Amino acid sequence: MSTILSNVTLANGKSADIEIEKGVVTQIGSLGKGIDCSGLIALPGFVDLHTHLRQPGFEASETVLSGSRSAAAGGYTAVLAMANTMPVADSAGVVEQVMQLGLEAGYCQVQPIGAVTKGLVGEELAALGSMANSRAQVRVFSDDGNCVHDPLLMQRALQYVKSFDGVIAQHAQEPKLTQGAQMNDGALATELGLKGWPAVAEEAIIARDALLAEQTGSRLHICHLTTAGAVDVVRWAKNRGIAITAEVTPHHLMLTEESVRGYNPIYKVNPPLRTKEDTLALREALLDGTIDVLGTDHAPHSAEKKDCEWEAAAFGMVALEHAASVLQDVIIGGGGDWELFAKVISSRAAKIARLQGQGALAVGEPANLTLIDPAAKRVIESKTQSKSENNPFAGMELPGKVIHTIYRGEFTVREGALRA
Amino acid sequence: MKHLISISDLTKAQAVKLLDDASELSSVNEREVKKLPALRGKTVVNLFFENSTRTRISFEVAAKRLSADVINFSAQTSSLSKGESLKDTAQTLEALGAHAIVVRHPYSGAAHALAHRGWISSSIINAGDGSHEHPTQALLDALTLRQAFGLNADLSGLNVLIVGDILHSRVARSNVLLLNLLGAKVTVAGPTTLMPNGIEKLGATISHNFDEALEQKPDAVMMLRVQKERMQGSFFPSEREYAKNWALSSERFRRLSSSTRILHPGPMNRGFEIASEAADSNQSLVLKQVANGVSVRMAVLYATLAGEEN
């Protein structure tokens, strides 16, 4: 039995009907009646390179099940789960467990990211090869939350993952330049008495790692770029032919350090919110291709982690269910098109992560696709499918709404409602 | 005025009024019976997460002279000790009947959180939060300058030089803001490594040479305490080099005009950032600052607990 999505608008602007059968896209063309999708844009299912699902270890904030429900609600058909769990995803056993939890949840593909170093402490390499060869077939490695700051260890990690086409996703933060850092460095940090996180601490690591990637001929991905200077460094590295890719989060595209003024930890995130000029540079870089992908850095925290003094609060914010709306505002609102949108939120991420069957809406491919209503406007709510509500976008009106999410041919979201 | 968190919450008129009230209240300190009934029945809690005997005692004396009941509560920082959260501590104190909480906390923004996050409804007075602000210190410094220069409203026309570790100093931030609000001109001087990014945007001229700054003949020089723990942080090569460039030494003191006044928030590192000859001279206002601290804190407690808006 097949499903036909009638009268969708494809990313290239053409109208078509899409037939799905046995989990695969079987035809795209003029196929006749089915589910009316007039006015909806059909895109390859979204892929998030940067999600914190918190399981195992921090189930009060999120679980693989609640996080993948949130992902599906946000239009995602695949998420890459960061390694900073407890225990850390630094061995084949943990990554296989996370993958298994994802399969059991069944809302999207949950692809584990492996730690670069044991316990994320930056001293010795984690079991990179075992994780790559495990059932989870890990290809992305990251100590996210921590920077792989030791240059020798970073060089070795880049070299090591090359043999299985892996990529190191670097959280670019020079630790000594950011000891105790609380917010963007500058006049506002001085006024608020909060320790500054200077742009150079991000940019220096990106420059170093770009050169190491060049020397080793390995793939480097930069997590959550935040500064105009970091954009310049990545642009320079790409022009030089270095295999570097870069990511930006929804919050760094739209929010600025001015939000920190009231000391409300809902705005506390690492790397920190930067200046208006930085957000403009990030938007421009997304439009010109210097930045490859949107990564949500979805970072759920239970209420008590945020209902405290700024300096005692945890870093991070949830993002899965408004990411696409922020991106629509930035890309479509910024003069880009839906093809670029699809690359940024899906196909490039799938390619960086070497995910099979994700990132393409084409005949013969697994039916992972998302249909959004670009004309809709909605007010973001703090209560979402996530277990946590640390959402600085709550109350903001943003464009676009996910109407259907289809994962391996099955609706995880249908008519805007998440499958039970 | 319900709370006093930051100098930036004050209008110029409010700041001048606090100084006027403090002047008036200071007469109580000269009486034989140093007590007014203004805050009888009110409970003031000194909630101190950092040791600061001077500031705590100053607030305690101020509250008692206004006949308030005073509770002193020393606590450990929540996240460091894994103890009770700030929210729970504050709610407990309010449940015990606190009308005002005077808070000293190592985290910038802690006083702001108590005042504005909806945890409690008591008045909050910031007695120093991290490297953010210490507004009553700035007010007592302003009152001291006003008296020393025979001014009766604002501080228009005064040139004030603040010297030392500006980066970590909440006293410097509050003073830069208040001195600007009151019409004084402020220069901050110190090693480049102890100068916070963008301080000029708060209203200060930056100098990196103490002697050149002194040649501008400031009306007052405010020396800041150098915290011992900063000396190990490689902010400057050695104590000796710091003292050579940034201390108010006897030699620098003797070059000052006799009309230049000297302030220090205390406690002083005698012989390090300030020579005894300067600290004990008749140009020094250090003990006047301490005495004015009580008057200013009486004015602030009165304004927050018995002011018109309450």
Side-chain angles (χ1 to χ4, degrees):
Chain A
M1 200 189 91
S2 69
T3 303
I4 291 177
L5 306 171
S6 293
N7 201 27
V8 306
T9 304
L10 298 170
N12 64 14
K14 292 181 182 155
S15 292
D17 309 321
I18 299 173
E19 183 192 61
I20 296 167
E21 194 167 0
K22 290 180 183 157
V24 175
V25 173
T26 42
Q27 294 188 73
I28 300 177
S30 192
L31 307 171
K33 276 217 180 301
I35 298 164
D36 180 21
C37 294
S38 306
L40 305 186
I41 313 245
L43 298 159
F46 303 161
V47 177
D48 186 15
L49 262 182
H50 195 145
T51 313
H52 295 275
L53 293 179
R54 303 293 189 219
Q55 195 179 7
F58 305 102
E59 289 84 355
S61 301
E62 197 79 286
T63 61
V64 171
L65 176 61
S66 66
S68 51
R69 282 170 62 87
S70 189
Y76 287 88
T77 57
V79 295
L80 282 99
M82 273 298 174
N84 60 341
T85 49
M86 185 69 77
V88 170
D90 58 2
S91 66
V94 178
V95 294
E96 288 186 350
Q97 183 200 357
V98 170
M99 185 191 73
Q100 185 61 34
L101 288 167
L103 289 171
E104 287 166 12
Y107 281 89
C108 63
Q109 182 174 354
V110 174
Q111 175 59 31
I113 291 174
V116 179
T117 68
K118 275 183 199 165
L120 304 175
V121 295
E123 285 168 7
E124 42 186 331
L125 292 179
L128 304 175
S130 306
M131 291 189 277
N133 293 326
S134 72
R135 284 196 298 124
Q137 292 284 299
V138 176
R139 289 296 176 271
V140 183
F141 297 88
S142 182
D143 275 5
D144 182 64
N146 297 327
C147 180
V148 184
H149 60 90
D150 180 331
L152 182 60
L153 206 55
M154 185 62 183
Q155 185 194 46
R156 295 246 167 90
L158 285 164
Q159 285 170 329
Y160 200 87
V161 301
K162 202 177 160 185
S163 63
F164 41 82
D165 198 22
V167 60
I168 305 293
Q170 176 68 296
H171 171 118
Q173 176 180 7
E174 210 300 310
K176 290 213 163 165
L177 292 175
T178 52
Q179 266 174 6
Q182 296 291 324
M183 69 169 293
N184 184 43
D185 191 39
L188 185 60
T190 292
E191 183 180 340
L192 297 178
L194 292 172
K195 189 130 191 271
W197 199 129
V200 66
E202 175 169 324
E203 294 154 12
I205 292 291
I206 299 173
R208 180 199 76 176
D209 289 353
L211 292 170
L212 288 173
E214 180 176 50
Q215 184 225 4
T216 54
S218 304
R219 293 200 293 136
L220 170 69
H221 176 71
I222 305 298
C223 299
H224 44 51
L225 235 71
T226 66
T227 73
V231 168
D232 287 341
V233 176
V234 169
R235 196 173 277 138
W236 165 84
K238 286 191 163 183
N239 284 336
R240 210 170 146 99
I242 296 168
I244 187 172
T245 52
E247 158 195 307
V248 65
T249 71
H251 40 278
H252 290 114
L253 287 167
M254 200 168 268
L255 306 177
T256 70
E257 63 170 2
E258 278 301 316
S259 309
V260 179
R261 217 172 249 291
Y263 294 99
N264 185 341
I266 199 94
Y267 298 104
K268 184 174 177 180
V269 65
N270 190 30
L273 301 175
R274 303 285 189 188
T275 66
K276 181 83 184 162
E277 291 70 36
D278 290 311
T279 65
L280 295 175
L282 294 170
R283 285 166 176 240
E284 190 190 328
L286 201 53
L287 289 167
D288 75 16
T290 305
I291 293 176
D292 300 85
V293 298
L294 182 78
T296 65
D297 198 2
H298 175 79
H301 287 293
S302 50
E304 66 276 7
K305 297 277 179 58
K306 291 289 191 180
D307 194 18
C308 55
E309 313 89 290
W310 176 276
E311 291 189 49
F315 290 101
M317 37 190 67
V318 300
L320 284 165
E321 295 180 48
H322 56 257
S325 290
V326 172
L327 193 66
Q328 182 181 330
D329 184 78
V330 170
I331 289 196
I332 307 305
D337 59 24
W338 290 101
E339 288 187 315
L340 178 62
F341 181 97
K343 285 178 188 167
V344 165
I345 204 166
S346 175
S347 58
R348 286 177 185 157
K351 188 170 174 220
I352 290 166
R354 303 294 192 247
L355 281 191
Q356 304 298 316
Q358 296 280 356
L361 172 50
V363 173
E365 290 286 332
N368 293 316
L369 58 156
T370 303
L371 290 100
I372 64 171
D373 175 4
K377 299 250 185 237
R378 65 193 178 110
V379 175
I380 305 300
E381 290 175 26
S382 58
K383 184 86 196 120
T384 63
Q385 300 298 331
S386 170
K387 283 182 98 168
S388 295
E389 299 183 22
N390 50 312
N391 188 350
F393 286 88
M396 280 176 68
E397 191 185 79
L398 290 174
K401 183 175 193 301
V402 173
I403 305 299
H404 307 300
T405 308
I406 299 169
Y407 170 53
R408 291 186 181 155
E410 305 289 333
F411 284 90
T412 52
V413 174
R414 186 164 190 164
E415 301 295 346
L418 184 72
R419 193 186 76 203
Chain B
M1 189 172 95
K2 167 114 194 238
H3 310 291
L4 179 62
I5 307 302
S6 163
I7 294 298
S8 59
D9 299 336
L10 296 176
T11 63
K12 183 173 177 178
Q14 281 177 312
V16 170
K17 174 79 163 51
L18 282 172
L19 300 183
D20 292 345
D21 290 352
S23 291
E24 203 167 308
L25 288 164
S26 68
S27 65
V28 176
N29 299 331
E30 266 106 63
R31 289 192 207 168
E32 196 174 350
V33 177
K34 300 180 193 318
K35 204 110 171 162
L36 287 175
L39 297 184
R40 192 152 57 199
K42 301 282 188 185
T43 299
V44 175
V45 176
N46 286 321
L47 175 58
F48 275 55
F49 290 85
E50 281 182 339
N51 290 326
S52 172
T53 312
R54 297 169 149 256
T55 305
R56 185 183 55 71
I57 288 176
S58 182
F59 270 107
E60 186 171 351
V61 170
K64 285 181 171 168
R65 287 201 180 151
L66 294 173
S67 305
D69 295 323
V70 180
I71 299 169
N72 290 312
F73 189 109
S74 293
Q76 295 299 311
T77 310
S78 56
S79 72
L80 298 178
S81 66
K82 296 272 175 204
E84 194 175 46
S85 73
L86 180 62
K87 177 181 172 180
D88 288 337
T89 303
Q91 288 180 339
T92 300
L93 293 173
E94 185 162 87
L96 288 169
H99 296 98
I101 297 177
V102 175
V103 62
R104 160 70 63 98
H105 200 285
Y107 290 163
S108 299
H112 186 282
L114 287 175
H116 299 298
R117 294 280 277 289
W119 297 340
I120 52 173
S121 58
S122 308
S123 285
I124 304 298
I125 297 163
N126 184 3
D129 63 324
S131 45
H132 176 222
E133 284 212 42
H134 192 359
T136 57
Q137 177 73 43
L139 286 163
L140 74 88
D141 290 338
L143 179 62
T144 306
L145 288 169
R146 202 167 84 155
Q147 291 166 349
F149 290 93
L151 303 168
N152 49 25
D154 63 13
L155 302 175
S156 294
L158 283 191
N159 286 299
V160 180
L161 174 63
I162 306 177
V163 184
D165 177 0
I166 311 295
L167 179 65
H168 301 98
S169 177
R170 50 193 171 214
V171 174
R173 281 170 181 74
S174 285
N175 262 302
V176 169
L177 291 171
L178 184 60
L179 289 167
N180 271 283
L181 186 65
L182 295 175
K185 286 207 173 70
V186 188
T187 303
V188 290
T192 41
T193 48
L194 290 173
M195 197 56 75
N197 198 343
I199 185 74
E200 67 282 3
K201 289 184 187 158
L202 295 188
T205 306
I206 297 171
S207 168
H208 294 303
N209 186 311
F210 193 5
D211 294 310
E212 283 174 19
L214 288 177
E215 280 165 24
Q216 304 299 312
K217 305 214 177 305
D219 297 298
V221 179
M222 184 183 294
M223 300 304 298
L224 297 176
R225 177 181 168 78
V226 178
Q227 305 279 342
K228 292 279 180 200
E229 60 268 27
R230 309 291 180 216
M231 296 177 193
Q232 270 84 50
S234 286
F235 287 102
F236 44 84
S238 65
E239 289 182 41
R240 192 161 161 266
E241 185 163 318
Y242 181 91
K244 184 165 180 281
N245 290 316
W246 302 106
L248 185 57
S249 58
S250 295
E251 192 272 330
R252 282 198 179 95
F253 169 66
R254 286 175 206 156
R255 275 192 279 131
L256 291 182
S257 150
S258 61
S259 63
T260 300
R261 302 308 176 113
I262 298 163
L263 294 92
H264 192 297
M268 294 184 282
N269 292 308
R270 281 175 183 264
F272 181 57
E273 78 254 354
I274 187 165
S276 284
E277 185 179 345
D280 298 335
S281 71
N282 58 12
Q283 286 165 253
S284 168
L285 301 174
V286 172
L287 293 177
K288 295 227 165 52
Q289 290 174 275
V290 176
N292 281 333
V294 174
S295 309
V296 154
R297 286 164 183 137
M298 287 168 79
V300 169
L301 285 167
Y302 185 78
T304 50
L305 282 173
E308 289 154 22
E309 291 163 45
N310 291 284

